[in-house]
Amino acid sequence: YGDGSFRPNGNVTRAEMCKMICVALNGGKDPTFGSNSVATFNDVANDNWAKPYIEYCVSEGIVGGVGGGRFNPDGNITGTQTAKMLLCILGYNASIAGYVGNDSWEMKINVDASAKHLYDGITGIDASAPLTRDQAAQMIWNALQANEVEYVNTFVPGPNGTLISQATVRDKVVGNNDDYITLLKDKYNAYIDVGTLTKIDGNELTITLNANDKIESDHWGKDSVGETLNFSKLTVDYSSLMGEKVKVITKDGKINEVMGVYSTDDNTVYSTVVNAIDKDGDKIEIDGKSYAVESKIHVYVDGQDKGDVTGLANFANAAVSIVAGLDNNNKSADFIKFVDSDDNDKIDTALISTVTLAKVTYVSSSEIIAGTVTYKTEDHNIANDIAKDDYVAITANLFDECKDIVKAQKITSASLSGTKGTSPTYSDYQIGSTWYVAGVNADTNSVQPGTTVDAWVYNGVVVYAKRSTGENATLS
């Protein structure tokens, strides 16, 4: 919309859908129409903004009216009506396919739409209800990834020993018998490669392909290196998709012109922090729920491939350098993402983003000192609200090839209502109503239950705590 909003929950009108279809068929751009013609429908004036889009869709057999010479351009469009339009741009003939002129047209549309996966990614859609804008975007994206179709005429026995011609629909063949074409390829000359995102190095990206991925990938064999494909000159940070099965869309077959990287439906992702995970026999437990794991878990730390770790017990102990165990008192503030990338309900990948917690001892316009390390503002992404004596969290930024430095959370004058472990250096502290584990080398100043404290915390870890200023040190 003109105000910069998308309004995902708003409904889509029939006129708006005609424009979306035209733009999708024109490589994402507003098409140039020929000379003005008389409107087909009596409720679409010649000066109506949507008239050229509607007329184009009429000429291509994509839309029809609602009866009485009307189109109802401002009426809401349903999921089934949208599916019919998208099926037509894929090559289905509305008359041959039975989308018009009978009582079962909706069922026939929805059967074909499901076969082409047009409703994928839309939970609980009511195809007969008005379509929302986000649902429309998803359906158009699904259609762009679907194979186009064509009709093949064959002769079949007819009455009185005659032969009659019968049209049968199939995925369009553009080369040999296995060479099909998607709308994305046809209208955008876009190439698709599928694999697991295994590396982000600045503006370069690497996917690793298994046997099935190779079959689905356009660049396999031409630009592959071993079991991988490398893409360059990225302008968007895709590091959040590390470890997931992705589709990489490139323009004109060029691996240095990435149009987008998208997570596939094969992935199930569990993101948490290391101190929140535990072992439940041979399973990983997160927030009281247990998840099965593969016999080998592939581990990445700050984007670096650490290889396979065999067995959950080894994952828990292996590698103290990888992750400091899975016990309840884990002191790490590190982020961790578990991925089931092949949709078999077993975690196969673990990605750890390490977090360094440090006290800031110096701040200027050009640098800060946190812990014992100096960080230049020109070299790193440093939050501008950091002051001397603050505590900060430092993480790796794979895309910018630097560190991201943000301020930890400061808690002021909160009740220290409980502890676990042995005094004076407890393993856990309940500050307010929240429990925190004591970080490695945490400076907690021997605070005791019943006091009011100031503290610095991050990702479930307390790194500093001290009795609030002015409070009597004598405990009741």
Side-chain angles (χ1 to χ4, degrees):
Y1 285 97
D3 62 0
S5 65
F6 181 69
R7 307 178 197 175
N9 297 320
N11 293 131
V12 181
T13 68
R14 290 167 56 82
E16 288 172 338
M17 182 54 67
C18 286
K19 178 175 181 179
M20 292 179 186
I21 294 293
C22 288
V23 171
L25 289 176
N26 193 50
K29 301 174 184 177
D30 215 357
T32 300
F33 297 101
S35 58
N36 197 20
S37 61
V38 178
T40 301
F41 302 104
N42 57 37
D43 60 346
V44 180
N46 281 328
D47 60 352
N48 188 309
W49 70 268
K51 175 180 171 290
Y53 304 104
I54 295 170
E55 294 300 333
Y56 176 84
C57 290
V58 170
S59 68
E60 294 296 314
I62 297 170
V63 298
V66 295
R70 299 172 57 252
F71 182 72
N72 189 23
D74 297 324
N76 291 331
I77 197 166
T78 67
T80 303
Q81 291 167 347
T82 300
K84 183 250 183 181
M85 296 174 69
L86 295 173
L87 289 167
C88 287
I89 70 173
L90 285 172
Y92 287 89
N93 182 293
S95 298
I96 297 175
Y99 300 162
V100 293
N102 62 72
D103 294 335
S104 60
W105 65 272
E106 287 183 286
M107 181 185 70
K108 292 182 177 179
I109 290 172
N110 288 328
V111 167
D112 288 343
S114 296
K116 284 297 182 182
H117 302 282
L118 298 187
Y119 295 131
D120 283 9
I122 307 177
T123 303
I125 183 173
D126 179 356
S128 62
L131 199 70
T132 58
R133 290 170 59 83
D134 57 351
Q135 291 172 335
Q138 180 68 60
M139 288 185 68
I140 292 171
W141 174 234
N142 292 341
L144 286 170
Q145 297 178 85
N147 288 337
E148 295 181 0
V149 302
E150 62 184 355
Y151 285 89
V152 178
N153 289 315
T154 57
F155 287 101
V156 297
N160 301 320
T162 61
L163 292 176
I164 60 173
S165 179
Q166 178 175 288
T168 303
V169 68
R170 70 176 187 183
D171 283 349
K172 183 187 290 186
V173 178
V174 294
N176 59 47
N177 289 337
D178 296 320
D179 196 1
Y180 306 117
I181 187 168
T182 64
L183 269 179
L184 201 60
K185 182 70 175 292
D186 186 10
K187 304 302 180 182
Y188 295 77
N189 198 29
Y191 287 64
I192 298 179
D193 294 289
V194 180
T196 301
L197 178 52
T198 53
K199 188 176 182 180
I200 296 281
D201 187 4
N203 67 353
E204 297 183 351
L205 171 153
T206 300
I207 62 173
T208 301
L209 297 82
N210 62 29
N212 290 331
D213 298 335
K214 296 172 187 177
I215 295 172
E216 297 184 48
S217 296
D218 290 326
H219 284 102
W220 177 255
K222 184 179 72 169
D223 298 290
S224 54
V225 179
E227 302 296 303
T228 65
L229 285 170
N230 301 307
F231 303 87
S232 60
K233 297 185 179 179
L234 301 181
T235 58
V236 177
D237 182 3
Y238 297 110
S239 56
S240 64
L241 301 179
M242 275 285 292
E244 299 182 33
K245 183 80 73 175
V246 296
K247 287 184 177 179
V248 182
I249 316 294
T250 50
K251 181 73 171 174
D252 299 329
K254 299 176 181 178
I255 59 174
N256 61 356
E257 289 196 23
V258 175
M259 300 172 71
V261 181
Y262 308 92
S263 182
T264 72
D265 293 335
D266 298 322
N267 300 292
T268 303
V269 177
Y270 312 99
S271 295
T272 183
V273 292
V274 167
N275 64 72
I277 60 178
D278 194 9
K279 286 188 298 182
D280 177 16
D282 59 355
K283 296 182 178 181
I284 287 175
E285 183 180 306
I286 306 172
D287 294 332
K289 186 173 181 179
S290 297
Y291 302 92
V293 299
E294 297 282 11
S295 59
K296 291 184 177 180
I297 304 174
H298 204 91
V299 178
Y300 298 86
V301 178
D302 292 336
Q304 298 299 309
D305 189 342
K306 300 297 183 180
D308 289 328
V309 174
T310 303
L312 183 58
N314 287 334
F315 176 72
N317 305 316
V320 176
S321 61
I322 291 178
V323 57
L326 293 176
D327 58 89
N328 284 323
N329 297 322
N330 197 305
K331 296 178 178 297
S332 172
D334 296 348
F335 294 96
I336 190 165
K337 181 172 84 168
F338 294 109
V339 182
D340 168 15
S341 62
D342 54 11
D343 199 26
N344 70 344
D345 295 324
K346 288 186 176 181
I347 291 169
D348 49 57
T349 307
L351 302 102
I352 295 121
S353 177
T354 60
V355 177
T356 299
L357 299 176
K359 183 178 181 179
V360 176
T361 56
Y362 174 78
V363 175
S364 73
S365 60
S366 61
E367 64 184 24
I368 70 169
I369 298 176
T372 59
V373 180
T374 299
Y375 299 92
K376 302 286 187 180
T377 54
E378 63 181 5
D379 297 329
H380 302 281
N381 297 327
I382 302 174
N384 57 17
D385 61 344
I386 295 172
K388 184 177 180 297
D389 295 329
D390 287 345
Y391 280 79
V392 292
I394 305 164
T395 55
N397 185 311
L398 304 181
F399 182 69
D400 291 335
E401 298 182 284
C402 67
K403 299 292 186 182
D404 289 335
I405 304 175
V406 298
K407 187 161 66 174
Q409 179 189 359
K410 186 177 183 179
I411 299 175
T412 304
S413 299
S415 172
L416 179 62
S417 49
T419 57
K420 296 178 185 177
T422 305
S423 177
T425 55
Y426 298 105
S427 61
D428 300 73
Y429 296 82
Q430 187 179 25
I431 303 174
S433 59
T434 304
W435 281 97
Y436 300 91
V437 298
V440 177
N441 300 321
D443 183 5
T444 54
N445 293 288
S446 300
V447 293
Q448 297 291 324
T451 59
T452 299
V453 300
D454 296 334
W456 286 92
V457 299
Y458 189 81
N459 273 7
V461 171
V462 56
V463 67
Y464 173 86
K466 186 177 181 180
R467 284 196 294 268
S468 298
T469 302
E471 183 172 329
N472 193 315
T474 303
L475 301 180
S476 60

